[in-house]
Amino acid sequence: MTERTGRFGILEQFQADGITHIFGNPGTVEQGFLDALSSFDDLNYILTLQETIALMAADGYARATQKPTIVQIHSTPGLGNTIGALYQAMRGHSPLVVIGGDAGIRYQAMDAQMAGDLVAFAEPVTKWSTMVMDPKSLLRVLRRAIKIAATPPMGPVYVCLPQDVMDFPVDEGVVPTSLPSTRVVPDEDSLLQAAELLMSGQKPMIFVGDGIAYSGAQSELTRVAELLGAEVWSADSGEVNMSLEHPLYQGSTGHMFGEQSLPITSKGDANLICGTYVLPEVFPILKNIFTEGAKSVHIDLNAYEIAKNHPVDLGLVSDPKLTLAKLADLLDAKMPPEARQAATARLEAIAQEKQAAKATQIEKDQAVKDKEPLHFSSFMVELAARLPQDTLIFDEALTNSPPISRYVPITEPGSYFQTRGGSLGVGIPGAIGVKLAHPDRPVWGFTGDGGAMYTIQALWTAARHNVDAKFVICNNSSYRLLQLNIQQYWQEQEIPKHEFPLSFDLSKPTIHFAQLAQATGVEGVRVEKTSEIIPAIEQALAHAGPFLIDLVLEGDVHPELIGIRCGQ
C-alpha cells in the first residue's frame, strides 16, 4: 500500500477546514503538490498567470467570505512577485494563507538556483512567516498558520513547504483548525467611563475602520452614532462599515495628506475610534490631531493600534460589535433629555448639510453630462439606473470613486469593497475573487488605466474559469492620483503650478483595453462618446461571461510632448 505523503495530507487539511478554492501560479518545486490536486475534486484551483494576481484575487475572495483563503506561489522569484500584494493584504487584514514551495531542505546548504531566505523575505509583510522543517509537524504548522491568519487582527501568513517535506510520509491526523473566539467585552466600569466621556462632548465624532465589518457591528455602530448625533468618518477602511446613505456617514478621512484630515479630526470634543487606527495617511500630521482638551475612546481588538500615534483617554481591547451594543444601551439609559435633544438637532443639521452637498455635486455632474471627452459621472448615472439591486462592487477607481457611491446606494454590508493598502492593480483580480465567492450575484469591478496595466493578465483567469464579472477601466490616459497629489506638493513647497511631469502621462502610445481583453478571451468594448454609453452597458449586462468596458475619460495629458523632451 502506498504511504500517504505530506502533499496529500495538506490537501486533506484544507478539506477539513472547509477550503474550496486555491488561488495560485505553478512552479517546478510545487509539482508534486499540484499533481496531487487531481485527486481532490472539491478543491478548485484558480490558475493565474502571475503570483501577484493570485494574491489579489484571493484577497477579494477572502474579503467577500471573511474566511481564511489559500494562495499557492512559487519559491524565491514567486515570493518576490507577491511582496507588494502581501503588503496590501497585511494593511487590509486579509486572512490569507500563502503556501510557497522550495526545492528541499536537503539542498539548502548548496546555495543553488532560486535559493533564498524565504522566511525572511516574507516576514515584513506577513503576520507570521515560517518554514516546515520536519514532516511530522507539517499539518500542525499548517493549522497554526490558518489560526493566526483568521484570528483578529487578521492578516496574511506565509508557510514555506519544501518539496522533500511534502514527499515524505506523514502520519499526522487531520482535524479542523481551532479558531479561538475573540468576542470579548470590557468590564462594566470601563463601559460606563466610555459612555460618560462621549456624553460629555458638545460635538462628538466617530472614526471607524474595517474592524466594524469584520465583527458585524454595523447596526450597533449606527445606533451609537444616532444616540450621540455624531458624524461618522471612515479611516483605513475598504468595507461597508455603515450605510453610505445614512445622514451621519460623512465619507473618509484623507488617505494621503494629514493636512487634509486635520480639519475633520479637530472638529470634535469627544471622539470615538473603533476598529481602526488613527490615521492611515502617507504624510501624517506629527502633532496631536484632536482639538485641545478633547476626550477620546478607542475600541479595537488590536491592542497595538490603540494610542499608537495619538494618546487616548480610554482604550478598550474588545470586540466592536458586543462593546458598541453595550455602549449604546448605557447611552440610551443615561443620556439626559437635553443631551438627547442636542443629539437630535445635530443629526438633523448634519443630514441637511449632506443632502445639500450631494445635490450640489449632482448639479455639477448634470453640467458635464453631454461633454466629450466623457466624465465618469455621466457613465455612472446610466449604469446605476440599470444595475440589478443585488450587485456587488469592487472599486479601485481611486480618483473616480465618488460618482460610484453617489449614484449606487451602498447600504448592505459586504456589497462594496474599496481598494486599500496602497498597492495598484487589485481592481480586476479583486472583482474576480468576489465573484468566485458569490457566483449567484452580479459583480462589477472598477479600476483605472494605470492600475489595470499592473494586472491586466488577470482577465485571462476570468476567461479560463468563466468568471462572469464585468470590468470598467476608467481610462484617463494618466496617473491621475499622482497629478492631484503633486498639486498638494507644489502648494506645500510654494512652487508655482505648471505642467505635470510627463511620467504621469500614459497617453502615448494609446492603450486599447478592449483589444487587450479580447486577446485574453474576454469580450470588450471601447466607449468614447456619450451615445456609446448605454449600448455598452446593455451589452455588458446581456453578455454571459466576463466583459470589459474601456471607458475613455477626460484627462490632462500632452501626447504631443512625449518623445520631444529629452528623457520624457
Side-chain angles (χ1 to χ4, degrees):
M1 180 178 179
T2 304
E3 291 185 282
R4 168 175 166 267
T5 59
R7 56 198 176 106
F8 289 94
I10 290 169
L11 295 169
E12 290 170 7
Q13 182 63 54
F14 292 161
Q15 285 182 318
D17 283 316
I19 302 296
T20 58
H21 289 74
I22 300 173
F23 297 82
N25 179 259
T28 302
V29 298
E30 300 85 31
Q31 56 197 354
F33 168 78
L34 296 167
D35 188 39
L37 264 173
S38 60
S39 301
F40 296 81
D41 293 337
D42 55 346
L43 291 175
N44 299 294
Y45 187 83
I46 307 302
L47 178 61
T48 67
L49 298 181
Q50 208 256 18
E51 290 88 353
T52 295
I53 296 165
L55 257 291
M56 290 182 168
D59 178 69
Y61 183 87
R63 291 177 66 178
T65 61
Q66 294 192 8
K67 294 180 179 179
T69 301
I70 307 301
V71 184
Q72 174 270 315
I73 63 172
H74 192 32
S75 57
T76 315
L79 177 57
N81 286 339
T82 66
I83 296 299
L86 273 170
Y87 177 82
Q88 172 155 299
M90 180 186 70
R91 300 298 291 198
H93 303 293
S94 288
L96 302 183
V97 179
V98 181
I99 57 173
D102 181 73
I105 291 174
R106 57 182 166 170
Y107 300 123
Q108 287 186 0
M110 302 298 293
D111 191 25
Q113 180 79 333
M114 290 196 291
D117 191 345
L118 299 169
V119 174
F121 280 16
E123 276 179 344
V125 290
T126 56
K127 191 177 174 185
W128 186 52
S129 179
T130 191
M131 175 184 288
V132 179
M133 303 297 292
D134 190 317
K136 295 185 182 300
S137 291
L138 176 61
L139 303 188
R140 180 182 296 111
V141 170
L142 198 61
R143 286 191 293 269
R144 185 185 304 170
I146 293 170
K147 182 195 75 170
I148 291 173
T151 302
M154 297 187 295
V157 299
Y158 171 74
V159 181
C160 181
L161 301 173
Q163 181 173 290
D164 48 9
V165 171
M166 289 198 292
D167 286 341
F168 199 87
V170 295
D171 54 10
E172 279 187 280
V174 174
V175 294
T177 299
S178 298
L179 300 180
S181 172
T182 56
R183 294 292 188 182
V184 294
V185 293
D187 62 90
E188 293 299 323
D189 288 345
S190 295
L191 284 165
L192 182 59
Q193 184 184 355
E196 290 174 344
L197 285 170
L198 294 171
M199 285 189 295
S200 69
Q202 302 300 308
K203 177 63 176 176
M205 298 283 288
I206 299 178
F207 303 93
V208 299
D210 290 341
I212 297 292
Y214 290 152
S215 66
Q218 289 92 343
S219 61
E220 291 79 6
L221 166 66
T222 302
R223 185 181 172 210
V224 170
E226 289 174 346
L227 284 165
L228 293 172
E231 295 182 16
V232 179
W233 292 84
S234 289
D236 193 33
S237 170
E239 310 288 340
V240 180
N241 296 301
M242 182 181 188
S243 168
L244 275 61
E245 298 293 299
H246 195 284
L248 292 173
Y249 182 77
Q250 300 296 295
S252 298
T253 59
H255 79 282
M256 185 63 63
F257 302 103
E259 292 290 344
Q260 294 178 353
S261 300
L262 188 61
I264 300 168
T265 59
S266 60
K267 273 186 181 183
D269 55 1
N271 302 298
L272 172 61
I273 306 154
C274 191
T276 187
Y277 76 100
V278 184
L279 270 170
E281 303 112 347
V282 177
F283 301 101
I285 292 289
L286 298 177
K287 61 183 180 181
N288 182 27
I289 63 172
F290 299 121
T291 192
E292 188 69 28
K295 302 298 183 183
S296 297
V297 177
H298 196 160
I299 302 167
D300 202 350
L301 279 169
N302 190 353
Y304 171 75
E305 299 295 359
I306 295 175
K308 180 178 73 174
N309 294 323
H310 305 284
V312 299
D313 296 279
L314 179 63
L316 303 174
V317 182
S318 59
D319 174 66
K321 182 178 180 68
L322 298 183
T323 306
L324 291 174
K326 289 184 174 292
L327 182 60
D329 289 342
L330 281 172
L331 292 170
D332 198 17
K334 295 187 174 296
M335 285 184 73
E338 59 271 19
R340 290 180 182 274
Q341 292 171 3
T344 299
R346 284 193 296 269
L347 194 157
E348 291 174 353
I350 293 168
Q352 290 176 2
E353 291 174 6
K354 180 173 180 176
Q355 188 175 9
K358 183 175 181 178
T360 299
Q361 190 56 59
I362 289 174
E363 285 183 12
K364 292 180 179 178
D365 292 344
Q366 286 294 313
V368 298
K369 70 174 184 176
D370 296 321
K371 286 193 173 182
E372 295 174 4
L374 301 172
H375 289 251
F376 184 57
S377 58
S378 303
F379 177 84
M380 279 310 304
V381 168
E382 302 298 345
L383 179 63
R386 293 163 176 79
L387 280 182
Q389 288 189 347
D390 61 343
T391 297
L392 305 177
I393 291 174
F394 197 103
D395 175 17
E396 195 203 10
L398 296 176
T399 55
N400 283 300
S401 291
I404 296 176
S405 57
R406 189 153 58 241
Y407 293 104
V408 178
I410 297 170
T411 60
E412 177 194 354
S415 64
Y416 177 69
F417 306 89
Q418 243 186 340
T419 183
R420 59 192 183 183
S423 178
L424 283 180
V426 71
I428 296 173
I432 291 171
V434 171
K435 180 61 179 179
L436 288 168
H438 294 287
D440 298 326
R441 296 185 64 172
V443 173
W444 282 68
F446 297 83
T447 186
D449 47 344
M453 285 307 297
Y454 277 64
T455 55
I456 194 68
Q457 63 269 56
L459 292 172
W460 181 91
T461 295
R464 179 184 179 92
H465 296 282
N466 196 30
V467 179
D468 187 15
K470 316 305 178 185
F471 309 99
V472 177
I473 296 181
C474 301
N475 185 355
N476 51 36
S477 299
S478 63
Y479 290 124
R480 175 66 66 83
L481 186 61
L482 297 183
Q483 292 178 339
L484 295 176
N485 290 344
I486 201 169
Q487 292 181 73
Q488 177 74 18
Y489 173 77
W490 289 338
Q491 182 177 339
E492 290 176 357
Q493 301 296 319
E494 299 182 350
I495 298 173
K497 188 176 179 180
H498 53 279
E499 289 179 355
F500 296 122
L502 284 177
S503 55
F504 299 176
D505 188 326
L506 306 177
S507 63
K508 184 180 180 180
T510 301
I511 303 173
H512 291 274
F513 287 98
Q515 293 179 18
L516 286 173
Q518 291 161 7
T520 62
V522 172
E523 287 298 315
V525 63
R526 187 175 175 92
V527 174
E528 299 180 89
K529 300 178 180 178
T530 305
S531 60
E532 297 170 344
I533 292 176
I534 293 176
I537 292 171
E538 291 178 343
Q539 188 179 352
L541 290 169
H543 181 76
F547 192 93
L548 180 140
I549 296 176
D550 179 5
L551 184 64
V552 180
L553 302 174
E554 49 82 29
D556 190 334
V557 295
H558 294 277
E560 74 280 359
L561 298 178
I562 296 173
I564 296 175
R565 291 183 180 175
C566 182
Q568 298 293 312

